[in-house]
Amino acid sequence: MRRELPPGGPAGDSGREVREEIDFYLDERAKELEAAGLSPEEARREAARAFGDVDRIARRVHRIRRRREREEGVRKVTGSIVRDLRMAFRGLGKHPGFSAVVIGTLALGIGAVTAVFTVVNATLLRALPFDDADRLVFVQGAYDASDGPAIRGASIPEAADWEQMSRSFEAMAPVDNTSVNLTGDGGAERLSAQQVGEGFFPVLRVEPLLGRTFTPEEATPPGDHRVAVLSEALWTRRYARDRGVLERTIELNGEPVQVVGVLPEGFRGTSLQADIWLPMGNPLVGPSADRSQNRGSRWLGVVARLAPDVALEQAREEMAEIAARLEELHPRMNEDRIALVTPFRDVYMGSTDTLFLVVLGATGLLLVIAGANVANLLLVRALGRGGEIRVRKALGAGRARLLGKFLIESLTLTGLGAVLGLGLGVAGSRALAAVMPPSLLPAYVELTPDLTVFLVAAGLLAVTGILAGLAPALLASGADPAPGLRGEGGGTGAGRSSRLQSALVVGEVALALLLLVGAGLMTRSFRAQLAVSPGFDAEELFAFRVTLPADSYEGDALQTAVREIDRRLEAVPGVSGATFGSDAPLRGSSSASYIYLEGASAEDRIRFYIHRVPPDWFETLGTRIVQGRALAVSDLENPNVTVIGRALAERFFPNESAVGQSLRLFRPEGDRIQIVGVAEDVRYRDLTSDLTAAEDDPDIYVTWDSLPSRTVEFVVRAEANPARLEATVRDVVGAFDPELPVYLAQPLDRNLRGQTAQTRFGTLLLGGFGALATFLAVIGLYGVLSFTVDRRRREIAVRMAVGAEASSVRTLVVGGGLKLALSGLLLGLVASVLASRSLEAFLYGVQPVDIRTYGAVALLMLAVAVSATWLPALRATRIDPQKALKVE
Amino acid sequence: MSGSDLFTGTLDLLILRVLRERPLHGYAVGKQLRETSDGVLDVEEGALYPALHRLERKGWLCSEWGRTETNRRAKFYRLTPEGRQQLEAETERWSDFSQAVQAVLGGLGR
């Protein structure tokens, strides 16, 4: 232990110094003792004894010194970092243009990523507004069709069987979205409601803020439990947060209902918009005894929470087995019936995530381009400063020291770009939210950049900064100092670096092209969607919905009331026509049923959408009758007539006239209805599906009077500016019956525009990114060419001195630039062919590999590239041979 | 070992005090301590060296090699401005402390 060190203490210079110090002490001490009268030997011995264990003390001293040296090393490095930082900042000030371009480029890239990621994070990655939402699923009743499952609902007996037979779920509960009229103090209002079965609130783990939720008895249909619970929002809005609301009844659909509870803030049910919940045993909305027992009456949604330790796959397998067992038990009712288990996330995010991934990918590309551009610009500058670097190297600056210097410079730039970029990102996310369609940005989403966003952005930044700084640093620090000192601008490292620069520029052009192709495809798709005829003339139409409760409008009173409202609407000045129906196009109100061709068996049923309309429907909406006639007033006496959509006629009567044929409604032996006309196809559900395809469900029209609906869509044609009609229609309906709320009131072309919103959003975003990317690529190209011209000054000067024309010098520079641009173009086209497939789901009326789009984009890029080469080319021709040759 | 802490603190303070007037080499520091301090180095004179280096690490002393009057190579220690401040602060603390002790002991004696 004591002798682990060589005799005489630690080795090395430090060890020797310590030894020398101690020896000096011992010598002097011995001399002192000798002077006091001891013999030389005694003096030495006494000095050593008094001193103590020399080795141990030497080791202690040595340890202290080593610690000091380490600390000094750290101080030295810190000092040099501070020095480099100071120099970096001073450098920024010296080249304001260069710094602005680099910082601006980074800020754009980082800003775009932050903005997009903020939105993506808020909508896709952040939790849904439910406790432990990842364990929540919908169990969906569906039919196993050849082209994939067709999701319908579940019946009450079926939902009960599922719950009883399954083991994979902690709890399961039926729910149905509905709406009710709230009347009384504060005026009439249509409320978004949910009727819920037993266990609904426990499944979602919601405890009431006030009062209670429903008892199992109340939640079991059929029943006579006139109770409800309110959302916190409704409680605040209508009842001013009065706790006394629990002792009150409110009026729903004209009947008194007892409020028993208020739910916590933010909870809006599984519809994400409900304001009131009623138990299935509430007769106001709950099913009749017949419907409660009918296995074939499928209308329910079912929510469930996976039991702990049960994987989604296990639950799916179990539900598949249960569905198969139920099919055995009820072969007729449950033929081809399956049960799907779908996580909440997939249901709420289903249509949005692919588009978001595309957008995120595009943003990533933009950041890569920005990074490449920064690397490129730093390279150009590093090589421009070749002389300085070589002097430093010659003066003995180490490779590590030079690398550090470059890194600090690039990190300073990146840091400034980051700060700016984060600011841009926050502003950008707001702007993005403003142009985003509601289908992509659910109401519950809050767009606040959080720590995740910041960390991701900062991480990307750090990587960008390091990479952008490292490449030039490695190249420059690897350079041999000798040739540079002779003053030649070019020199070692330039060849390698210009190859790297070229590669960066080619990559930038390719990626920018890729984004432009995406933007081009989306634009064409958007225009194709706009060109789709919806089958009606939406421009001057205004639509709103009214639900007439059964207790106030019994029997014929319903028809009378609807016709009276219609008549009063038509009488309003500025209204050129009014009509109504069970549903209106693109307003999400259509419902489906089955029809059968004459003589067809039960298996050959056709799912279809039935629209109940009065005779003037077609004229008011501007829907053309292509064959036969429209419904007529005379048909009101003889309700068994129908007008069918053109797609249905073409599909089932391809070689004969559909007019005169007949169909059976609801059952093979059901009411026979005769086709009297064929109407132009109206886009009731979306703009882009192929209506003649077998999987699409066709449309038919019957007279509204034959099957009057309680919920009525009124459609009013204005002479001008339909948006101004809202107050008018509310007045008209209010004057007729103040207890009738008007809801979903808006111009119909807003619904039409909603259909193209997603494509519009994608087009806008990809277009913006494409333009940004192109701009960055042009800066990159310009930078490289400028540098090349600088580096070849002497060569160009010589050429001009021996009589080369300015035009041939220009060709030389432009040609060099075009070579890079063309390589980038080719690469980008190949990448586009491969990558455009990811856009396929969003493209309508255009193929992913669309020659026209690709060609147009390539031409655009080429034109931009040529303009980027022009300035450096012009500069090359302005080189004064005499000066260039003399100065160098 | 609170005794050792007290000892270390005392030794450090005394070294700073000895070096206040002029730079000295290690042996001279030790000699003055032995002559004036009544035995802080009695146990082990060598303890002086770790103390000197510790103070140097703290930045209170700095050192350089030089020649003695007898022309021998030796390492000289000098007080840095920080060391001087430290000495003043510590001296004040010590005199407060010893006054307090004096007061208590004097009170007991009476």
Side-chain angles (χ1 to χ4, degrees):
Chain A
M1 178 78 189
R2 285 189 57 178
R3 287 287 151 191
E4 63 184 327
L5 295 166
D13 287 349
S14 165
R16 252 198 311 285
E17 271 193 24
V18 174
R19 245 355 251 246
E20 193 180 341
E21 233 189 317
I22 293 175
D23 285 345
F24 170 72
Y25 182 93
L26 291 174
D27 289 351
E28 293 296 312
R29 186 76 167 105
K31 263 188 235 159
E32 185 191 328
L33 290 167
E34 230 174 300
L38 292 176
S39 74
E41 273 108 76
E42 275 172 337
R44 286 216 77 79
R45 219 175 307 126
E46 177 52 24
R49 189 204 58 77
F51 191 84
D53 185 338
V54 174
D55 282 357
R56 190 170 55 77
I57 288 170
R59 271 200 308 276
R60 266 175 67 192
V61 170
H62 191 66
R63 262 201 306 277
I64 293 169
R65 287 178 60 117
R66 249 201 337 246
R67 219 170 297 152
R68 195 182 98 212
E69 276 158 20
R70 262 203 308 274
E71 286 164 0
E72 266 174 8
V74 169
R75 259 200 298 281
K76 223 158 102 189
V77 170
T78 325
S80 86
I81 287 176
V82 169
R83 224 171 16 253
D84 284 350
L85 265 177
R86 212 175 293 146
M87 275 176 60
F89 273 105
R90 218 179 300 145
L92 291 188
K94 250 190 256 167
H95 307 274
F98 169 84
S99 311
V101 170
V102 171
I103 292 171
T105 302
L106 279 169
L108 281 179
I110 289 151
V113 171
T114 311
V116 168
F117 193 74
T118 299
V119 173
V120 171
N121 178 55
T123 48
L124 288 190
L125 308 179
R126 224 182 273 174
L128 288 163
F130 303 106
D131 184 46
D132 202 7
D134 288 343
R135 305 293 293 167
L136 287 171
V137 295
F138 283 99
V139 183
Q140 298 166 310
Y143 289 97
D144 196 9
S146 57
D147 49 353
I151 294 169
R152 302 292 179 254
S155 63
I156 288 177
E158 199 169 26
D161 285 345
W162 285 349
E163 185 176 8
Q164 223 181 4
M165 295 165 85
S166 64
R167 295 280 165 274
S168 300
F169 306 98
E170 199 176 284
M172 198 187 270
V175 56
D176 184 44
N177 297 336
T178 177
S179 54
V180 290
N181 289 353
L182 171 67
T183 48
D185 298 343
E189 187 181 354
R190 190 71 184 170
L191 294 182
S192 177
Q194 291 197 300
Q195 55 167 319
V196 301
E198 188 193 339
F200 178 76
F201 297 110
V203 166
L204 300 179
R205 293 188 183 153
V206 177
E207 296 286 341
L209 182 69
L210 219 62
R212 60 174 179 91
T213 57
F214 305 127
T215 64
E217 202 187 13
E218 285 168 344
T220 309
D224 195 31
H225 304 280
R226 295 166 188 269
V227 293
V229 299
L230 311 180
S231 73
E232 188 262 357
L234 180 66
W235 182 49
T236 306
R237 176 156 52 84
R238 274 300 277 251
Y239 306 103
R241 303 180 76 85
D242 174 16
R243 289 171 169 265
V245 78
L246 293 186
E247 279 122 47
R248 277 172 51 184
T249 58
I250 57 173
E251 207 169 84
L252 291 183
N253 290 358
E255 291 188 40
V257 170
Q258 175 73 45
V259 176
V260 297
V262 175
L263 295 179
E265 185 180 352
F267 182 77
R268 306 298 296 270
T270 47
S271 64
L272 303 180
Q273 60 176 26
D275 263 326
I276 193 162
W277 290 263
L278 308 166
M280 291 262 171
N282 187 325
L284 229 58
V285 291
S288 62
D290 180 46
R291 208 179 188 196
S292 303
Q293 275 133 40
N294 186 346
R295 183 164 290 275
S297 178
R298 291 164 173 139
W299 51 287
L300 285 173
V302 173
V303 293
R305 183 178 290 279
L306 290 174
D309 306 326
V310 171
L312 182 62
E313 266 324 301
Q314 286 169 270
R316 283 183 167 150
E317 277 165 30
E318 194 193 31
M319 284 314 297
E321 277 167 34
I322 290 173
R325 250 186 294 159
L326 287 175
E327 193 174 349
E328 271 170 40
L329 286 170
H330 312 279
R332 215 174 59 83
M333 278 288 187
N334 278 29
E335 193 188 342
D336 291 335
R337 250 328 247 181
I338 54 173
L340 305 174
V341 180
T342 314
F344 265 34
R345 188 164 295 280
D346 292 2
V347 171
Y348 292 112
M349 310 297 183
S351 66
T352 62
D353 55 358
T354 330
L355 180 60
F356 273 138
L357 288 181
V358 168
V359 168
L360 207 57
T363 322
L365 285 186
L366 192 67
L367 191 73
V368 171
I369 294 174
N373 221 5
V374 170
N376 212 336
L377 290 166
L378 288 176
L379 252 174
V380 168
R381 191 163 71 139
L383 292 158
R385 295 189 320 188
E388 175 202 333
I389 292 156
R390 290 184 191 93
V391 170
R392 280 174 187 279
K393 281 197 81 160
L395 289 178
R399 192 184 168 90
R401 180 85 181 75
L402 274 177
L403 269 178
K405 188 174 146 53
F406 273 94
L407 267 184
I408 283 169
E409 270 181 13
S410 75
L411 285 176
T412 310
L413 286 168
T414 337
L416 288 175
V419 173
L420 211 63
L422 284 178
L424 272 182
V426 172
S429 64
R430 302 240 165 85
L432 212 57
V435 298
M436 262 170 92
S439 60
L440 288 183
L441 193 68
Y444 70 85
V445 168
E446 275 176 57
L447 266 191
T448 43
D450 65 3
L451 193 66
T452 328
V453 175
F454 182 79
L455 287 180
V456 168
L460 285 172
L461 283 181
V463 171
T464 316
I466 288 169
L467 288 184
L470 219 54
L474 282 173
L475 279 172
S477 67
D480 176 5
L485 287 175
R486 288 198 296 266
E488 173 68 46
T492 321
R496 244 194 318 161
S497 80
S498 74
R499 240 172 296 135
L500 179 64
Q501 277 185 294
S502 304
L504 284 172
V505 167
V506 168
E508 278 182 56
V509 171
L511 293 177
L513 189 92
L514 182 62
L515 283 172
L516 280 183
V517 164
L521 290 174
M522 287 298 267
T523 308
R524 292 208 56 191
S525 169
F526 181 50
R527 283 169 52 186
Q529 284 188 14
L530 286 185
V532 170
S533 161
F536 62 97
D537 178 15
E539 212 151 290
E540 309 295 338
L541 294 178
F542 188 88
F544 65 93
R545 207 178 283 178
V546 170
T547 300
L548 299 97
D551 66 308
S552 330
Y553 298 96
E554 262 179 285
D556 284 350
L558 173 65
Q559 273 99 320
T560 316
V562 169
R563 286 199 194 285
E564 177 57 21
I565 295 172
D566 185 43
R567 198 188 59 74
R568 291 190 190 185
L569 286 169
E570 278 184 335
V572 170
V575 165
S576 61
T579 188
F580 60 90
S582 56
D583 56 330
L586 302 174
R587 284 170 60 82
S589 51
S590 305
S591 61
S593 190
Y594 293 99
I595 46 172
Y596 298 83
L597 296 178
E598 195 70 59
S601 64
E603 286 80 61
D604 294 327
R605 58 188 184 186
I606 303 162
R607 193 163 180 271
F608 78 115
Y609 287 91
I610 189 168
H611 312 296
R612 289 106 82 183
V613 299
D616 65 355
W617 174 265
F618 300 98
E619 199 197 322
T620 309
L621 267 85
T623 300
R624 220 157 45 87
I625 301 294
V626 294
Q627 201 186 347
R629 62 172 175 86
L631 295 170
V633 178
S634 58
D635 293 329
L636 299 182
E637 308 296 316
N638 167 32
N640 289 333
V641 293
T642 181
V643 169
I644 64 172
R646 187 212 282 261
L648 180 64
E650 282 172 6
R651 192 166 138 202
F652 295 105
F653 309 103
N655 302 315
E656 51 197 319
S657 168
V659 176
Q661 309 276 356
S662 50
L663 299 167
R664 296 278 189 170
L665 263 186
F666 309 131
R667 288 182 299 278
E669 66 283 6
D671 289 340
R672 174 189 291 153
I673 51 172
Q674 202 189 6
I675 300 170
V676 295
V678 177
E680 188 59 64
D681 281 325
V682 169
R683 294 291 178 168
Y684 267 91
R685 293 162 296 282
D686 63 62
L687 282 180
T688 53
S689 59
D690 179 4
L691 290 173
T692 54
E695 64 270 17
D696 203 81
D697 306 319
D699 299 282
I700 76 166
Y701 304 85
V702 298
T703 59
W704 182 76
D705 292 77
S706 66
L707 279 163
S709 55
R710 289 216 165 270
T711 292
V712 181
E713 292 266 16
F714 285 92
V715 180
V716 179
R717 179 170 293 281
E719 276 161 3
N721 198 0
R724 292 216 323 243
L725 277 179
E726 177 163 357
T728 315
V729 303
R730 285 190 192 280
D731 287 348
V732 169
V733 176
F736 176 78
D737 179 355
E739 308 267 272
L740 274 187
V742 165
Y743 59 110
L744 290 174
Q746 54 180 262
L748 206 50
D749 81 328
R750 197 175 304 161
N751 302 93
L752 187 61
R753 266 183 287 134
Q755 289 295 314
T756 52
Q758 195 161 323
T759 319
R760 185 170 155 266
F761 176 68
T763 308
L764 218 66
L765 219 61
L766 282 183
F769 283 180
L772 222 60
T774 310
F775 174 67
L776 293 181
V778 163
I779 290 183
L781 192 59
Y782 171 78
V784 170
L785 288 182
S786 300
F787 174 66
T788 316
V789 169
D790 272 356
R791 198 161 51 91
R792 292 169 67 177
R793 279 171 78 86
R794 301 185 78 175
E795 179 203 327
I796 293 169
V798 170
R799 276 170 196 262
M800 288 178 71
V802 300
E805 294 286 327
S807 67
S808 77
V809 170
R810 272 201 297 271
T811 314
L812 186 78
V813 177
V814 173
L818 283 188
K819 222 167 73 186
L820 294 180
L822 281 174
S823 315
L825 274 182
L826 279 179
L827 204 64
L829 286 174
V830 172
S832 300
V833 169
L834 297 175
S836 56
R837 238 155 251 306
S838 63
L839 280 177
E840 211 160 5
F842 310 102
L843 296 184
Y844 171 73
V846 58
Q847 290 301 310
V849 182
D850 177 62
I851 304 295
R852 275 175 55 193
T853 307
Y854 282 51
V857 166
L859 275 180
L860 175 74
M861 184 58 94
L862 203 62
V864 170
V866 169
S867 62
T869 60
W870 196 249
L871 221 60
L874 215 60
R875 213 167 53 209
T877 61
R878 299 235 175 93
I879 291 173
D880 178 350
Q882 274 191 328
K883 246 192 217 161
L885 292 172
K886 208 189 284 165
V887 168
E888 297 281 332
Chain B
M1 290 271 270
S2 61
S4 149
D5 286 347
L6 184 62
F7 167 75
T8 308
T10 316
L11 181 58
D12 287 358
L13 182 60
L14 291 174
I15 291 172
L16 294 176
R17 172 71 187 77
V18 166
L19 286 170
R20 193 175 71 178
E21 315 303 334
R22 59 186 182 284
L24 292 171
H25 49 65
Y27 170 72
V29 174
K31 189 154 184 262
Q32 282 215 19
L33 286 181
R34 274 185 286 115
E35 283 164 3
T36 57
S37 75
D38 207 17
V40 278
L41 287 182
D42 279 0
V43 181
E44 189 175 50
E45 291 177 14
L48 172 68
Y49 282 92
L52 283 170
H53 284 267
R54 195 167 53 239
L55 291 170
E56 192 178 6
R57 183 180 148 229
K58 285 181 179 164
W60 295 342
L61 298 183
C62 59
S63 66
E64 64 190 326
W65 287 89
R67 295 276 162 189
T68 66
E69 307 97 81
T70 57
N71 207 23
R72 236 195 110 162
R73 231 169 82 85
K75 201 171 176 189
F76 286 79
Y77 291 88
R78 185 156 46 83
L79 215 56
T80 63
E82 291 88 16
R84 205 166 289 280
Q85 272 174 22
Q86 180 65 21
L87 174 63
E88 278 160 24
E90 284 293 307
T91 311
E92 209 165 298
R93 217 161 60 86
W94 258 106
S95 68
D96 285 355
F97 176 66
S98 60
Q99 265 170 28
V101 173
Q102 283 287 325
V104 172
L105 292 179
L108 283 178
R110 223 168 273 156

